[in-house]
Amino acid sequence: MFLTGLTMLCAAPAHSTPGVSAPRHKPSAGKDGPSLLKRSQPGLFPERMPAERTPTRTQSGTHTIATGNTLWDIAQRTLGSGMQWDSVYAINQHTIEDAARRHGYTSSDQGHWIFPGTRLALPQPERALTQPSSRFEPAPCPTTYGPLKDTRCGFLVVPENRAHPSMRTLRLAVALVSSASPRPHRDPIVFLTGGPGADALGNISELTDAGLNHDRDLVVLSQRGTYSSQRPLTCPEIDQFYADRVHLLYDAPSTGDRYAQAAARCHERLTAQGLHPAAYNTSENAADLADLRKVLGIREWNVLSHSYGTQLALTYMRMFPQGIRSVTVDGVVPPSEATPGWTWSSMRESFDNIVSACAAQPSCRQRYPDIGATFLRMVRQLEAKPVTTYATVPQVGKVKVVLDGGALLNWLVRASHAPDDFPLAVDELAHGHPGRIAEQWASAWIPGSQGMFAHGFSLSVWCSEWVPFETPGEQLAKGQRAFPELPRTVLAQAPQLPFLRQACQQWNVPKAPDSIRAVTRSSIPTLAISGSFDAQTGAQWGRFVARTLSRSTVVTLAGVAHGTFDNPCGAKVITSFFDNPDNPDTRCVSSVKPPTFIIGSEGAGTRD
């Protein structure tokens, strides 16, 4: 899943890893053309896991660019940290730009284009970097989510902060799930889950039930900071806040204060334990993936990503394209666009598509002819006069629920996943019976997997990579464009991320470098697959990222919400894409239809 509760800084090269991708309009390049990556041959999971070698200098003080080099690679091999790529560019800017112009480019695009034979000076570090080698350590599989059959497990050991590699290491849980086929393809699938903050090991049963390991092994990494890995950034304080929020006004400033206080308590507890929240970010996450492929001895793999995992996948493609055969982004989060206010467009797209689907079904259209207008009217009405009611939640019992406009609007996210009763629930609410919506809203937050979701990792990403790149005014303007019908108090809080700016003031991580927002430009075959009802990462964003991915296929499944990989057609398209990245079988897409909506009796309103 994507955002918290619904499972829910280091520099990176601009645009894509320098020296790898080809531009849309590229001058002819012979043997002196830009350094381009050559695909390696696929490999099997090894019986023995080779360790990553410690980076070494090629020649003191200088490096001559060779075919296949990128500035990230050069910094990694010569300085011990790829995070210093921008330092290499900075002291060689004139040399790199002159080389680009000689080869027919107007610029190098900040080191995106580099050319074999160019000699670079290397910055001199204040002290030698003694980065520990990343390695894989076999270990028993965890049983948190039940027994894992035909699976080998272990830990990827990596530096917590590659910019300061002498600091502690992290142990990230890895599950290697065997293919159901006795003769699997030699290029496995690595799965990147969302959140940010969800534990990917919890998705294994969904992946195998969907048949995604039918003829390929699966590599499942519990990202840094998540539950199955060492030093998770879990926040029971925030879990408790979300449970309590059911009883509170969603849009009230006092509710925002309680969220910020919960974030402050979690931050204080984690930093007292010696953790450094700033090291838990997408750039380090991408570097973990690059290390994982190498230490497992996998020459080439396919990336399957979902939700925040797509932000990670697109960053990974840009920073470390080596060894990536193909990429699926399912429920797309573009790194260049993601901000709190960015979520408004997905909410509106989902809302419009659900309302249109009702209008396309004669019985729904006849019974609920103005369901969209009714919903928006009820958001305004509840914001002006909130409703307090009670709902029965499984395993908990009767709980108090407060519904204001913000709560109802955000209930739409839950409704997008099970939309068949959306018109009925809204109609019941309009007739004075909020019970169905109250029960669904409360059940989304109580009970939960308290202490298991890594809210701290969510905040580390959002507060460094999203929030600083948008002003409050810009955030509000996006809400006003999406829902001009709604009051300012509702629009002031981004969908699913209310009062995030206040929480970020307490989380206290630095703004990420501007390069984290770079557009991914790549010729790696990519499938952008989305659901038309996705209120979290709208289908429009799959089309958006495909514009700069020259070998991309865009698929939208009608009536599917956030996440398509566990949909029968979605799984079929994805596995077909991995088999044939340039020509996947998408014939089932036309047969996927929105669900049939439940029709209540005239004057509905039997639930309390």
Side-chain angles (χ1 to χ4, degrees), residues 360-372:
Q361 294 179 17
S363 60
C364 190
R365 180 176 66 249
Q366 181 177 359
R367 177 65 185 84
Y368 308 110
D370 300 310
I371 197 62

Side-chain angles (χ1 to χ4, degrees), residues 31 53 135 172 235 386 447 481:
K31 63 181 180 180
R53 291 174 297 177
R135 62 188 184 276
L172 311 183
C235 292
R481 285 195 297 271

Side-chain angles (χ1 to χ4, degrees), residues 61-138:
T62 65
H63 177 87
T64 300
I65 296 172
T67 300
N69 278 175
T70 69
L71 292 188
W72 180 277
D73 292 337
I74 292 168
Q76 179 73 27
R77 289 189 286 108
T78 61
L79 300 175
S81 173
M83 302 296 180
Q84 297 192 47
W85 72 271
D86 51 352
S87 299
V88 177
Y89 174 74
I91 67 172
N92 292 281
Q93 181 174 354
H94 293 302
T95 300
I96 291 172
E97 297 303 330
D98 287 346
R101 286 189 287 271
R102 287 199 306 272
H103 287 83
Y105 292 79
T106 57
S107 76
S108 76
D109 196 8
Q110 287 190 294
H112 181 71
W113 304 115
I114 57 176
F115 299 84
T118 306
R119 189 171 183 176
L120 304 178
L122 298 176
Q124 296 298 314
E126 295 181 3
R127 58 181 176 79
L129 294 176
T130 57
Q131 180 168 330
S133 297
S134 297
R135 62 188 184 276
F136 182 84
E137 296 179 349

Side-chain angles (χ1 to χ4, degrees), residues 526-530 539 542-547 552-556 586:
T526 305
L527 170 66
I529 185 167
S530 308
R543 298 187 294 273
F544 176 86
V545 298
R547 297 187 304 184
S552 58
T553 301
V554 179
V555 170
T556 300
T586 60

Side-chain angles (χ1 to χ4, degrees), residues 507-525:
W507 200 248
N508 193 30
V509 291
K511 175 185 176 182
D514 290 351
S515 53
I516 197 63
R517 310 281 297 175
V519 173
T520 299
R521 307 177 190 275
S522 178
S523 60
I524 297 172

